[in-house]
Amino acid sequence: MPRNVAKIGLLLEAETAARKSRKLNRLVRVASLPETAAFEDLDTRASRGLYKALLSSLASCSWIARRQNLMILGPTGVGKTWLASAFGQQACRLGMTAAFHRVSDLYGAISESVLDASLPKLKAALYKPSLLILDDFGIGEMTPVAAQVLLDVADRRMRSGSLLITSQYPSEKWHDFFPDPTIADAVLDRVVHQAHRLQLKGESMRKLRGRAALASA
């Protein structure tokens, strides 16, 4: 009898682990993260401006539970999208929902949704996840409709979840991206003042990988 009980216990543990794995895979798939990224693979060299204590704190994702935001800033190629994907992956590991959108693609989706009358559905999808990642803010032309959508999203997410925004531009320049300064003020007031900030620096990671590949060839 004890042997049978032990066997049943192992089967239950295996089933629990399988369910957790299926749930994680489903959350990651729905999030549409562009990079397969995890914090244990993170390059924390000091030259990139990444500090282990700060990253360890943010990796807990408690800021998401508190409905705070995160800005990842820095020049092209320093790993902003990778790091955003790692936060998305970590949120999924903790059972939270996430969604990734490249901002220029989102602007296109907003324009298309106006034409086919699906804008309410798109906005609902942007409201829903615990973590909404907007990548490369400042790239692409923001229309008045897109600006209004961003305001609606920022306003709703103050009560429903968090934003993670990556950008090549300092947040002080974000105001200039909006076609309407009043909407710009409203969006940034809701996003920037309750946001953590990671400022990356250093050479492009793509350039460094390219050099390494050439050196080993």
Side-chain angles (χ1 to χ4, degrees), residues 21-39:
S21 179
R22 288 195 296 269
K23 180 180 179 181
L24 174 59
N25 290 337
R26 183 175 68 255
L27 289 172
V28 171
R29 183 176 66 254
V30 172
S32 298
L33 302 171
E35 303 270 4
T36 302
F39 283 113

Side-chain angles (χ1 to χ4, degrees), residues 51-74:
Y51 301 100
K52 291 183 178 180
L54 177 58
L55 283 171
S56 178
S57 175
L58 292 172
S60 72
C61 293
S62 59
W63 55 277
I64 301 176
R66 295 193 296 269
R67 295 187 295 277
Q68 297 171 345
N69 304 318
L70 175 61
M71 301 184 295
I72 303 178
L73 311 175

Side-chain angles (χ1 to χ4, degrees), residues 85-196:
S85 297
F87 276 109
Q89 174 85 10
Q90 184 70 359
C92 292
R93 287 180 176 181
L94 295 172
M96 302 176 184
T97 53
F100 180 99
H101 293 272
R102 201 171 300 280
V103 168
S104 57
D105 293 339
L106 179 60
Y107 292 162
I110 291 171
S111 296
E112 291 176 7
S113 70
V114 171
L115 294 176
D116 64 14
S118 63
L119 184 57
K121 181 178 179 181
L122 174 59
K123 289 169 66 174
L126 297 173
Y127 297 156
K128 187 175 181 180
S130 302
L131 176 63
L132 176 63
I133 301 171
L134 301 179
D135 187 48
D136 247 344
F137 188 70
I139 303 298
E141 182 178 356
M142 187 190 306
T143 65
V145 174
Q148 183 61 54
V149 169
L150 289 181
L151 174 55
D152 294 342
V153 168
D155 185 66
R156 179 67 68 89
R157 297 197 65 76
M158 289 184 70
R159 301 182 295 277
S160 65
S162 298
L163 281 167
L164 189 163
I165 300 176
T166 77
S167 181
Q168 300 177 33
Y169 303 92
S171 59
E172 293 77 16
K173 292 188 176 181
W174 290 4
H175 195 280
D176 298 336
F177 302 146
F178 290 81
D180 184 330
T182 302
I183 292 182
D185 288 339
V187 172
L188 298 181
D189 182 65
R190 287 163 171 78
V191 174
V192 175
H193 299 315
Q194 54 178 356
H196 301 273

